[in-house]
Amino acid sequence: MALRGPWPWQGVMYYKAVDLAAGVWAKWRIGDESVARIATGDFNGDGRLDFATIAYSVQNYYVAKDAKIMLYRNGIPQAGAEVLQEAGAEAPQGDAE
């Protein structure tokens, strides 16, 4: 979730469902710049979803002090990657069309 404005109301928040039925979520702040937009994609070609942000900077409304584009690379290991690596196998690559 992208949040714009001055600290502490700005940044990028990551929410993960812990128990959907009970409405329990975990929340982490993973960026602390003012953010207007988020774009997702595999920007470095490693097969994992990364995201990029652009700062919120609008004259006479809110102007970020250091407006810039930020790239956040996904460093989370893929599920089961360690087990497959130990067994000498490769992770599945998905269906090709």
Side-chain angles (χ1 to χ4, degrees):
M1 173 182 292
L3 305 172
R4 69 180 189 283
W7 182 260
W9 301 283
Q10 69 184 23
V12 179
M13 302 302 289
Y14 172 73
Y15 291 86
K16 179 180 179 181
V18 174
D19 184 343
L20 286 176
V24 178
W25 295 78
K27 175 176 83 170
W28 294 269
R29 181 183 300 272
I30 56 175
D32 46 1
E33 302 84 20
S34 178
V35 177
R37 301 283 186 269
I38 295 179
T40 59
D42 181 8
F43 297 120
N44 59 355
D46 66 357
R48 295 179 288 185
L49 194 59
D50 309 304
F51 70 94
T53 65
I54 187 166
Y56 198 87
S57 187
V58 177
Q59 293 296 329
N60 301 319
Y61 184 67
Y62 181 78
V63 179
K65 291 181 182 178
D66 188 20
K68 56 189 165 190
I69 295 173
M70 298 291 295
L71 174 61
Y72 294 86
R73 293 187 183 111
N74 184 347
I76 300 171
Q78 292 180 343
E82 300 84 19
V83 174
L84 290 171
Q85 187 175 19
E86 288 175 10
E90 292 185 19
Q93 299 299 312
D95 297 331
E97 293 187 33

Coordinates of all heavy atoms in Angstrom, one line a residue:
M1 N 0.8 -1.1 0.0 CA 0.0 0.0 0.0 C 0.9 1.2 0.0 O 1.9 1.3 0.8 CB -0.9 0.0 1.2 CG -1.7 1.3 1.4 SD -2.7 1.3 2.9 CE -3.9 0.1 2.5
A2 N 0.6 2.2 -0.9 CA 1.4 3.4 -1.0 C 0.7 4.5 -0.1 O -0.5 4.7 -0.2 CB 1.4 3.9 -2.4
L3 N 1.6 5.2 0.7 CA 1.1 6.3 1.5 C 1.9 7.5 1.2 O 3.1 7.5 1.1 CB 1.3 5.9 3.0 CG 0.7 4.6 3.4 CD1 1.1 4.2 4.9 CD2 -0.8 4.7 3.4
R4 N 1.2 8.6 1.0 CA 1.8 9.9 0.7 C 1.7 10.8 1.9 O 0.8 10.7 2.7 CB 1.2 10.5 -0.6 CG -0.2 11.0 -0.3 CD -0.8 11.6 -1.6 NE -2.1 12.3 -1.4 CZ -3.2 11.7 -1.2 NH1 -3.3 10.4 -1.2 NH2 -4.3 12.4 -1.0
G5 N 2.5 11.9 1.9 CA 2.4 12.9 2.9 C 3.7 12.9 3.8 O 4.6 12.2 3.5
P6 N 3.6 13.7 4.8 CA 4.8 13.8 5.7 C 4.9 12.5 6.6 O 3.9 11.8 6.8 CB 4.6 15.0 6.5 CG 3.1 15.2 6.5 CD 2.6 14.6 5.2
W7 N 6.1 12.3 7.2 CA 6.3 11.3 8.2 C 5.4 11.5 9.4 O 5.3 12.7 9.8 CB 7.8 11.2 8.6 CG 8.1 10.1 9.5 CD1 8.2 10.2 10.9 CD2 8.2 8.7 9.2 NE1 8.4 9.0 11.4 CE2 8.4 8.1 10.4 CE3 8.2 8.0 8.0 CZ2 8.6 6.7 10.4 CZ3 8.4 6.7 8.0 CH2 8.6 6.0 9.3
P8 N 4.7 10.6 10.0 CA 4.8 9.2 9.8 C 3.8 8.6 8.9 O 3.6 7.4 8.8 CB 4.6 8.7 11.3 CG 3.6 9.6 11.8 CD 4.0 10.9 11.2
W9 N 3.0 9.4 8.1 CA 1.9 8.9 7.3 C 2.4 8.5 5.9 O 1.6 8.2 5.1 CB 0.8 9.9 7.2 CG 0.3 10.2 8.6 CD1 -0.6 9.5 9.3 CD2 0.6 11.4 9.4 NE1 -0.8 10.1 10.5 CE2 -0.1 11.2 10.6 CE3 1.4 12.5 9.2 CZ2 0.0 12.2 11.6 CZ3 1.5 13.4 10.2 CH2 0.8 13.3 11.4
Q10 N 3.7 8.5 5.6 CA 4.1 8.2 4.3 C 4.8 6.9 4.3 O 5.2 6.4 5.3 CB 5.1 9.3 3.8 CG 6.4 9.4 4.5 CD 7.2 10.5 4.0 OE1 6.8 11.5 3.5 NE2 8.5 10.4 4.2
G11 N 5.0 6.3 3.1 CA 5.8 5.1 3.0 C 5.1 4.0 2.2 O 4.1 4.2 1.6
V12 N 5.7 2.8 2.2 CA 5.1 1.6 1.6 C 4.9 0.6 2.7 O 5.8 0.2 3.4 CB 6.1 1.0 0.5 CG1 5.5 -0.2 -0.1 CG2 6.4 2.1 -0.5
M13 N 3.7 0.1 2.8 CA 3.3 -0.9 3.8 C 3.0 -2.2 3.1 O 2.4 -2.2 2.0 CB 2.1 -0.5 4.6 CG 2.2 0.9 5.3 SD 3.6 1.0 6.4 CE 3.0 -0.1 7.7
Y14 N 3.5 -3.3 3.6 CA 3.3 -4.6 3.1 C 2.4 -5.4 4.1 O 2.6 -5.4 5.3 CB 4.6 -5.4 3.0 CG 4.4 -6.9 2.6 CD1 4.0 -7.2 1.4 CD2 4.7 -7.9 3.6 CE1 3.9 -8.6 1.0 CE2 4.5 -9.2 3.3 CZ 4.1 -9.6 2.0 OH 4.0 -10.9 1.7
Y15 N 1.2 -5.9 3.6 CA 0.3 -6.6 4.5 C 0.3 -8.0 4.0 O 0.2 -8.3 2.8 CB -1.1 -6.0 4.3 CG -1.3 -4.6 4.9 CD1 -1.0 -3.5 4.1 CD2 -1.8 -4.5 6.2 CE1 -1.1 -2.2 4.7 CE2 -1.9 -3.2 6.7 CZ -1.6 -2.1 6.0 OH -1.8 -0.8 6.5
K16 N 0.3 -9.0 5.0 CA 0.2 -10.4 4.7 C -0.9 -11.0 5.5 O -1.0 -10.8 6.8 CB 1.5 -11.1 5.1 CG 1.5 -12.6 4.8 CD 2.8 -13.2 5.2 CE 2.7 -14.7 4.9 NZ 4.0 -15.3 5.2
A17 N -1.8 -11.7 4.9 CA -2.9 -12.3 5.6 C -2.4 -13.5 6.5 O -1.7 -14.3 6.0 CB -4.0 -12.9 4.6
V18 N -2.7 -13.4 7.8 CA -2.3 -14.4 8.7 C -3.5 -15.4 8.9 O -3.4 -16.6 8.9 CB -1.9 -13.8 10.1 CG1 -1.6 -14.9 11.1 CG2 -0.7 -12.9 9.9
D19 N -4.7 -14.8 9.1 CA -5.9 -15.6 9.2 C -7.1 -14.8 8.6 O -7.7 -13.9 9.2 CB -6.2 -15.9 10.7 CG -7.4 -16.8 11.0 OD1 -8.3 -16.9 10.0 OD2 -7.5 -17.3 12.1
L20 N -7.4 -15.1 7.4 CA -8.5 -14.4 6.6 C -9.8 -14.5 7.3 O -10.5 -13.5 7.4 CB -8.6 -14.9 5.2 CG -7.5 -14.4 4.3 CD1 -7.6 -15.1 2.9 CD2 -7.4 -12.9 4.1
A21 N -10.2 -15.6 7.8 CA -11.5 -15.8 8.4 C -11.6 -14.9 9.7 O -12.7 -14.4 9.9 CB -11.7 -17.3 8.8
A22 N -10.6 -14.8 10.4 CA -10.6 -13.9 11.6 C -10.2 -12.5 11.3 O -10.3 -11.7 12.2 CB -9.7 -14.5 12.7
G23 N -9.8 -12.2 10.1 CA -9.4 -10.8 9.8 C -8.1 -10.4 10.4 O -7.8 -9.2 10.7
V24 N -7.1 -11.4 10.5 CA -5.8 -11.1 11.2 C -4.8 -10.9 10.1 O -4.6 -11.8 9.2 CB -5.4 -12.2 12.1 CG1 -4.0 -11.9 12.7 CG2 -6.5 -12.4 13.2
W25 N -4.1 -9.8 10.1 CA -3.1 -9.4 9.1 C -1.8 -9.0 9.8 O -1.8 -8.4 10.9 CB -3.5 -8.2 8.3 CG -4.7 -8.5 7.4 CD1 -6.0 -8.6 7.8 CD2 -4.7 -8.9 6.1 NE1 -6.8 -8.9 6.8 CE2 -6.1 -9.1 5.7 CE3 -3.7 -9.0 5.1 CZ2 -6.4 -9.4 4.4 CZ3 -4.1 -9.3 3.8 CH2 -5.4 -9.5 3.5
A26 N -0.7 -9.3 9.2 CA 0.6 -8.8 9.7 C 1.0 -7.6 8.8 O 0.6 -7.6 7.6 CB 1.7 -9.9 9.5
K27 N 1.7 -6.7 9.3 CA 2.0 -5.4 8.6 C 3.4 -5.0 8.8 O 3.9 -5.1 9.9 CB 1.0 -4.3 9.1 CG 1.3 -3.0 8.4 CD 0.3 -1.9 8.9 CE 0.6 -1.4 10.2 NZ -0.2 -0.2 10.6
W28 N 4.1 -4.7 7.7 CA 5.5 -4.2 7.8 C 5.6 -2.9 7.0 O 5.1 -2.8 5.9 CB 6.5 -5.2 7.2 CG 6.6 -6.5 7.9 CD1 7.5 -6.8 8.9 CD2 5.9 -7.7 7.7 NE1 7.3 -8.1 9.3 CE2 6.3 -8.7 8.6 CE3 4.8 -8.0 6.8 CZ2 5.8 -9.9 8.6 CZ3 4.3 -9.3 6.9 CH2 4.8 -10.2 7.7
R29 N 6.4 -2.0 7.5 CA 6.8 -0.8 6.7 C 8.0 -1.2 5.9 O 9.0 -1.5 6.5 CB 7.0 0.4 7.5 CG 7.4 1.7 6.7 CD 7.8 2.8 7.6 NE 6.7 3.2 8.5 CZ 5.7 4.1 8.1 NH1 5.7 4.6 7.0 NH2 4.7 4.3 9.0
I30 N 8.0 -1.2 4.6 CA 9.1 -1.6 3.8 C 9.7 -0.5 3.0 O 10.7 -0.7 2.3 CB 8.8 -2.8 2.8 CG1 7.6 -2.5 1.9 CG2 8.4 -4.0 3.7 CD1 7.2 -3.5 0.9
G31 N 9.2 0.7 3.1 CA 9.7 1.9 2.5 C 9.2 3.1 3.3 O 8.1 3.1 3.8
D32 N 10.0 4.1 3.4 CA 9.5 5.3 4.1 C 9.5 6.6 3.4 O 9.4 7.7 4.0 CB 10.3 5.4 5.5 CG 11.8 5.3 5.4 OD1 12.3 5.1 4.3 OD2 12.4 5.4 6.4
E33 N 9.6 6.5 2.1 CA 9.5 7.7 1.2 C 8.0 8.0 1.0 O 7.2 7.1 1.0 CB 10.2 7.5 -0.2 CG 11.6 7.2 -0.1 CD 11.9 5.7 0.1 OE1 11.0 4.9 -0.2 OE2 13.0 5.4 0.5
S34 N 7.6 9.2 0.7 CA 6.3 9.5 0.2 C 6.0 8.9 -1.1 O 6.9 9.0 -2.0 CB 6.1 11.1 0.1 OG 4.8 11.4 -0.3
V35 N 4.9 8.2 -1.3 CA 4.7 7.4 -2.5 C 3.4 7.8 -3.1 O 2.3 7.8 -2.5 CB 4.7 5.9 -2.2 CG1 4.4 5.1 -3.4 CG2 6.1 5.5 -1.6
A36 N 3.4 8.1 -4.4 CA 2.2 8.4 -5.2 C 1.7 7.2 -5.9 O 0.5 6.9 -6.0 CB 2.4 9.5 -6.2
R37 N 2.6 6.4 -6.5 CA 2.2 5.2 -7.3 C 3.2 4.1 -7.1 O 4.4 4.3 -6.8 CB 2.2 5.5 -8.8 CG 1.3 6.7 -9.2 CD -0.1 6.2 -9.3 NE -1.0 7.2 -9.8 CZ -1.6 8.1 -9.1 NH1 -1.5 8.1 -7.8 NH2 -2.4 9.0 -9.7
I38 N 2.7 2.8 -7.2 CA 3.5 1.6 -7.2 C 3.3 0.9 -8.5 O 2.2 0.7 -8.9 CB 3.1 0.7 -6.0 CG1 3.4 1.4 -4.7 CG2 3.9 -0.6 -6.0 CD1 3.0 0.6 -3.4
A39 N 4.4 0.4 -9.0 CA 4.3 -0.5 -10.2 C 5.0 -1.8 -9.8 O 6.1 -1.8 -9.1 CB 5.1 0.1 -11.4
T40 N 4.4 -3.0 -10.2 CA 5.0 -4.2 -9.9 C 5.5 -4.9 -11.2 O 4.9 -4.7 -12.3 CB 4.0 -5.2 -9.2 OG1 2.9 -5.4 -10.0 CG2 3.6 -4.6 -7.8
G41 N 6.5 -5.8 -11.1 CA 7.0 -6.5 -12.2 C 8.3 -7.2 -11.8 O 8.9 -7.0 -10.7
D42 N 8.8 -8.1 -12.7 CA 10.0 -8.8 -12.4 C 11.1 -7.9 -13.1 O 11.6 -8.2 -14.2 CB 10.0 -10.2 -13.0 CG 11.3 -11.0 -12.8 OD1 12.1 -10.5 -12.1 OD2 11.4 -12.0 -13.4
F43 N 11.5 -6.9 -12.4 CA 12.4 -5.9 -13.0 C 13.8 -6.3 -13.2 O 14.6 -5.8 -14.0 CB 12.4 -4.6 -12.2 CG 11.0 -3.9 -12.1 CD1 10.4 -3.7 -10.9 CD2 10.4 -3.5 -13.3 CE1 9.1 -3.1 -10.9 CE2 9.1 -2.9 -13.3 CZ 8.5 -2.7 -12.0
N44 N 14.3 -7.3 -12.5 CA 15.7 -7.8 -12.6 C 15.7 -9.2 -13.2 O 16.8 -9.8 -13.3 CB 16.4 -7.7 -11.3 CG 15.8 -8.5 -10.2 OD1 14.7 -9.1 -10.4 ND2 16.4 -8.6 -9.1
G45 N 14.6 -9.8 -13.7 CA 14.6 -11.0 -14.4 C 14.9 -12.3 -13.6 O 15.3 -13.3 -14.1
D46 N 14.7 -12.2 -12.3 CA 15.0 -13.4 -11.4 C 13.8 -14.3 -11.2 O 13.9 -15.2 -10.4 CB 15.7 -13.0 -10.1 CG 14.8 -12.2 -9.2 OD1 13.6 -11.9 -9.6 OD2 15.2 -11.9 -8.1
G47 N 12.6 -13.9 -11.8 CA 11.4 -14.7 -11.6 C 10.6 -14.4 -10.4 O 9.6 -15.0 -10.1
R48 N 11.0 -13.3 -9.6 CA 10.3 -12.9 -8.5 C 9.7 -11.5 -8.7 O 10.3 -10.7 -9.4 CB 11.2 -12.9 -7.2 CG 11.6 -14.3 -6.9 CD 12.5 -14.3 -5.7 NE 13.8 -13.7 -6.1 CZ 14.8 -13.7 -5.3 NH1 14.8 -14.1 -4.0 NH2 16.0 -13.2 -5.7
L49 N 8.6 -11.2 -8.1 CA 7.9 -10.0 -8.2 C 8.6 -8.9 -7.4 O 8.8 -9.0 -6.2 CB 6.4 -10.1 -7.8 CG 5.5 -9.0 -8.1 CD1 5.4 -8.8 -9.6 CD2 4.1 -9.3 -7.6
D50 N 9.0 -7.8 -8.1 CA 9.7 -6.7 -7.5 C 8.6 -5.5 -7.6 O 7.6 -5.7 -8.2 CB 10.9 -6.2 -8.2 CG 11.9 -7.4 -8.5 OD1 12.3 -8.0 -7.5 OD2 12.2 -7.7 -9.6
F51 N 9.0 -4.3 -7.0 CA 8.1 -3.2 -7.2 C 8.9 -1.9 -7.2 O 10.1 -1.8 -6.7 CB 7.0 -3.1 -6.1 CG 7.4 -2.8 -4.7 CD1 7.4 -1.5 -4.3 CD2 7.8 -3.8 -3.9 CE1 7.8 -1.1 -3.0 CE2 8.2 -3.5 -2.6 CZ 8.2 -2.1 -2.1
A52 N 8.4 -0.9 -7.9 CA 9.0 0.4 -8.0 C 8.0 1.4 -7.5 O 6.8 1.2 -7.7 CB 9.5 0.7 -9.4
T53 N 8.5 2.5 -7.0 CA 7.6 3.6 -6.5 C 8.0 4.9 -7.1 O 9.2 5.1 -7.5 CB 7.5 3.7 -5.0 OG1 8.8 4.1 -4.5 CG2 7.1 2.4 -4.3
I54 N 7.1 5.9 -7.1 CA 7.5 7.3 -7.5 C 6.9 8.2 -6.4 O 5.8 7.9 -5.9 CB 7.0 7.7 -8.9 CG1 7.5 9.0 -9.3 CG2 5.5 7.6 -9.0 CD1 7.4 9.4 -10.7
A55 N 7.7 9.1 -6.0 CA 7.3 10.0 -4.9 C 6.1 10.9 -5.2 O 5.9 11.2 -6.4 CB 8.5 10.9 -4.4
Y56 N 5.4 11.3 -4.2 CA 4.3 12.2 -4.4 C 4.9 13.6 -4.3 O 5.5 14.0 -3.3 CB 3.2 12.0 -3.3 CG 1.9 12.6 -3.6 CD1 1.0 11.9 -4.3 CD2 1.6 13.9 -3.2 CE1 -0.2 12.4 -4.6 CE2 0.4 14.4 -3.5 CZ -0.6 13.7 -4.2 OH -1.8 14.2 -4.5
S57 N 4.7 14.4 -5.3 CA 5.2 15.8 -5.4 C 4.3 16.6 -6.2 O 4.5 16.7 -7.5 CB 6.7 15.8 -5.9 OG 7.2 17.0 -5.7
V58 N 3.4 17.3 -5.6 CA 2.4 18.2 -6.3 C 2.5 19.6 -5.7 O 2.2 19.7 -4.5 CB 1.0 17.6 -6.2 CG1 0.0 18.5 -6.9 CG2 0.9 16.2 -6.9
Q59 N 2.8 20.6 -6.5 CA 2.9 21.9 -6.0 C 1.6 22.4 -5.4 O 0.5 22.0 -5.8 CB 3.2 22.9 -7.1 CG 4.6 22.7 -7.7 CD 5.7 23.0 -6.7 OE1 5.6 23.9 -5.8 NE2 6.9 22.4 -6.8
N60 N 1.6 23.1 -4.3 CA 0.5 23.7 -3.6 C -0.4 22.6 -2.9 O -1.5 22.8 -2.5 CB -0.4 24.5 -4.4 CG 0.3 25.7 -5.0 OD1 1.2 26.3 -4.3 ND2 0.1 26.0 -6.3
Y61 N 0.2 21.3 -2.8 CA -0.5 20.3 -2.1 C 0.4 19.6 -1.2 O 0.4 19.8 0.0 CB -1.2 19.3 -3.1 CG -2.0 18.2 -2.4 CD1 -3.2 18.6 -1.7 CD2 -1.6 16.9 -2.4 CE1 -4.0 17.6 -1.1 CE2 -2.4 16.0 -1.8 CZ -3.6 16.3 -1.1 OH -4.3 15.4 -0.5
Y62 N 1.3 18.7 -1.7 CA 2.3 18.1 -1.0 C 3.5 17.9 -1.9 O 3.4 17.3 -2.9 CB 1.9 16.7 -0.3 CG 3.1 16.1 0.4 CD1 3.4 16.6 1.7 CD2 3.9 15.1 -0.1 CE1 4.4 16.1 2.4 CE2 5.0 14.6 0.6 CZ 5.2 15.1 1.9 OH 6.3 14.6 2.6
V63 N 4.7 18.4 -1.5 CA 5.9 18.2 -2.3 C 6.9 17.5 -1.4 O 7.3 17.9 -0.4 CB 6.5 19.6 -2.6 CG1 7.7 19.5 -3.4 CG2 5.4 20.4 -3.4
A64 N 7.2 16.3 -1.9 CA 8.3 15.5 -1.2 C 9.6 16.2 -1.3 O 9.9 16.8 -2.3 CB 8.4 14.1 -1.9
K65 N 10.3 16.1 -0.2 CA 11.6 16.8 -0.1 C 12.6 16.3 -1.1 O 13.4 17.0 -1.7 CB 12.2 16.7 1.3 CG 11.4 17.5 2.3 CD 12.1 17.4 3.7 CE 11.2 18.2 4.7 NZ 11.8 18.1 6.0
D66 N 12.6 15.0 -1.3 CA 13.6 14.4 -2.2 C 12.8 13.4 -3.2 O 13.0 12.2 -3.0 CB 14.7 13.6 -1.4 CG 15.8 13.1 -2.3 OD1 15.9 13.6 -3.4 OD2 16.5 12.2 -1.9
A67 N 12.0 14.0 -4.0 CA 11.2 13.1 -4.9 C 12.0 12.3 -5.9 O 12.9 12.9 -6.6 CB 10.2 14.0 -5.7
K68 N 11.8 11.0 -5.9 CA 12.6 10.2 -6.8 C 11.9 8.9 -7.0 O 10.9 8.5 -6.3 CB 14.0 9.9 -6.1 CG 13.9 9.3 -4.8 CD 15.3 9.2 -4.1 CE 15.1 8.9 -2.6 NZ 16.4 9.1 -2.0
I69 N 12.3 8.1 -8.0 CA 11.8 6.8 -8.3 C 12.7 5.8 -7.5 O 13.9 5.9 -7.6 CB 11.9 6.5 -9.8 CG1 10.9 7.5 -10.6 CG2 11.5 5.0 -10.1 CD1 11.0 7.4 -12.1
M70 N 12.0 4.9 -6.9 CA 12.8 3.9 -6.1 C 12.4 2.5 -6.6 O 11.3 2.2 -6.9 CB 12.3 3.9 -4.6 CG 12.6 5.2 -3.9 SD 14.4 5.5 -3.7 CE 14.8 4.2 -2.5
L71 N 13.4 1.6 -6.7 CA 13.2 0.2 -7.1 C 13.5 -0.7 -5.9 O 14.6 -0.6 -5.3 CB 14.2 -0.2 -8.3 CG 14.2 -1.6 -8.7 CD1 12.8 -2.1 -9.1 CD2 15.2 -1.9 -9.7
Y72 N 12.6 -1.5 -5.6 CA 12.7 -2.5 -4.5 C 12.8 -3.9 -5.1 O 11.8 -4.4 -5.6 CB 11.5 -2.4 -3.5 CG 11.5 -1.1 -2.8 CD1 10.8 0.0 -3.4 CD2 12.0 -0.9 -1.5 CE1 10.8 1.3 -2.7 CE2 12.0 0.3 -0.9 CZ 11.3 1.4 -1.5 OH 11.3 2.6 -0.8
R73 N 13.9 -4.5 -5.0 CA 14.1 -5.9 -5.5 C 13.7 -6.9 -4.4 O 14.0 -6.8 -3.3 CB 15.5 -6.1 -5.9 CG 15.9 -5.3 -7.1 CD 17.3 -5.6 -7.6 NE 17.7 -4.8 -8.6 CZ 18.6 -3.9 -8.5 NH1 19.3 -3.7 -7.4 NH2 18.9 -3.1 -9.6
N74 N 13.0 -7.9 -4.9 CA 12.5 -9.0 -4.0 C 13.6 -9.9 -3.6 O 14.2 -10.6 -4.4 CB 11.4 -9.8 -4.7 CG 10.7 -10.8 -3.8 OD1 11.2 -11.1 -2.7 ND2 9.6 -11.3 -4.3
G75 N 14.0 -9.9 -2.3 CA 15.1 -10.7 -1.9 C 14.6 -12.0 -1.1 O 15.4 -12.7 -0.5
I76 N 13.3 -12.2 -1.1 CA 12.8 -13.4 -0.4 C 13.0 -14.6 -1.2 O 12.6 -14.7 -2.4 CB 11.2 -13.2 -0.1 CG1 11.0 -11.9 0.7 CG2 10.7 -14.4 0.6 CD1 9.6 -11.5 0.8
P77 N 13.6 -15.6 -0.6 CA 13.8 -16.9 -1.3 C 12.5 -17.5 -1.8 O 11.5 -17.4 -1.1 CB 14.5 -17.8 -0.3 CG 15.0 -16.9 0.7 CD 14.1 -15.7 0.8
Q78 N 12.5 -18.1 -2.9 CA 11.3 -18.8 -3.4 C 11.0 -20.0 -2.5 O 11.9 -20.7 -2.0 CB 11.4 -19.2 -4.9 CG 11.5 -18.1 -5.8 CD 11.7 -18.5 -7.2 OE1 12.0 -19.6 -7.5 NE2 11.4 -17.6 -8.1
A79 N 9.7 -20.3 -2.3 CA 9.3 -21.4 -1.4 C 9.9 -22.7 -1.9 O 9.9 -23.0 -3.1 CB 7.8 -21.5 -1.5
G80 N 10.5 -23.4 -1.0 CA 11.1 -24.7 -1.3 C 12.5 -24.6 -2.0 O 13.1 -25.6 -2.3
A81 N 13.0 -23.4 -2.3 CA 14.2 -23.3 -3.0 C 15.4 -24.0 -2.3 O 16.2 -24.6 -2.9 CB 14.6 -21.8 -3.3
E82 N 15.5 -23.8 -0.9 CA 16.6 -24.4 -0.2 C 16.5 -26.0 -0.2 O 17.5 -26.6 -0.4 CB 16.5 -24.0 1.3 CG 16.6 -22.5 1.5 CD 15.3 -21.8 1.3 OE1 14.2 -22.4 1.4 OE2 15.3 -20.6 1.1
V83 N 15.3 -26.5 -0.1 CA 15.2 -28.0 -0.1 C 15.6 -28.5 -1.5 O 16.3 -29.5 -1.6 CB 13.7 -28.4 0.2 CG1 13.5 -29.9 0.0 CG2 13.4 -27.9 1.6
L84 N 15.1 -27.8 -2.6 CA 15.5 -28.3 -3.9 C 17.0 -28.2 -4.2 O 17.6 -29.0 -4.8 CB 14.7 -27.4 -5.0 CG 13.2 -27.7 -5.0 CD1 12.5 -26.7 -5.9 CD2 12.9 -29.1 -5.6
Q85 N 17.6 -27.1 -3.7 CA 19.0 -26.9 -3.9 C 19.8 -28.0 -3.2 O 20.8 -28.5 -3.7 CB 19.4 -25.5 -3.4 CG 20.8 -25.1 -3.7 CD 21.1 -23.7 -3.3 OE1 20.5 -23.1 -2.4 NE2 22.2 -23.2 -3.8
E86 N 19.4 -28.3 -1.9 CA 20.1 -29.4 -1.2 C 20.0 -30.7 -1.9 O 20.9 -31.5 -1.9 CB 19.5 -29.5 0.2 CG 19.9 -28.3 1.1 CD 19.2 -28.3 2.5 OE1 18.6 -29.4 2.8 OE2 19.4 -27.4 3.2
A87 N 18.8 -30.9 -2.6 CA 18.6 -32.2 -3.3 C 19.3 -32.2 -4.7 O 19.2 -33.2 -5.4 CB 17.1 -32.5 -3.4
G88 N 19.8 -31.1 -5.1 CA 20.4 -31.0 -6.4 C 19.5 -30.8 -7.5 O 19.8 -31.0 -8.7
A89 N 18.2 -30.4 -7.2 CA 17.2 -30.3 -8.2 C 17.0 -28.8 -8.5 O 17.4 -27.9 -7.8 CB 15.9 -30.9 -7.8
E90 N 16.3 -28.5 -9.6 CA 16.0 -27.1 -10.0 C 14.6 -26.8 -9.6 O 13.7 -27.6 -9.7 CB 16.2 -26.9 -11.5 CG 17.7 -27.0 -11.9 CD 17.8 -26.7 -13.4 OE1 16.9 -26.0 -14.0 OE2 18.9 -27.1 -13.9
A91 N 14.3 -25.5 -9.3 CA 13.0 -25.0 -9.0 C 12.1 -25.1 -10.3 O 12.7 -24.8 -11.4 CB 13.0 -23.6 -8.4
P92 N 10.9 -25.4 -10.2 CA 10.0 -25.4 -11.4 C 9.9 -23.9 -12.0 O 9.9 -23.0 -11.3 CB 8.7 -25.8 -10.9 CG 8.7 -25.8 -9.5 CD 10.1 -25.8 -9.0
Q93 N 9.9 -23.9 -13.3 CA 9.9 -22.6 -14.0 C 8.5 -22.1 -14.5 O 8.3 -21.1 -15.0 CB 10.8 -22.6 -15.2 CG 12.2 -22.9 -14.9 CD 12.8 -21.8 -13.9 OE1 12.7 -20.7 -14.2 NE2 13.5 -22.3 -12.9
G94 N 7.5 -23.0 -14.3 CA 6.1 -22.6 -14.8 C 5.9 -23.1 -16.2 O 6.7 -23.6 -16.8
D95 N 4.6 -22.8 -16.6 CA 4.2 -23.2 -18.0 C 4.7 -22.2 -19.0 O 4.6 -21.0 -18.8 CB 2.7 -23.4 -18.1 CG 2.2 -24.4 -17.2 OD1 2.9 -25.4 -16.9 OD2 1.0 -24.3 -16.7
A96 N 5.2 -22.7 -20.1 CA 5.6 -21.8 -21.2 C 4.6 -21.9 -22.3 O 4.0 -23.0 -22.6 CB 7.0 -22.3 -21.8
E97 N 4.3 -20.8 -22.9 CA 3.3 -20.8 -24.0 C 4.0 -20.6 -25.4 O 5.0 -20.1 -25.5 CB 2.3 -19.7 -23.8 CG 1.4 -20.0 -22.6 CD 0.3 -19.0 -22.5 OE1 -0.2 -18.5 -23.5 OE2 0.0 -18.7 -21.4

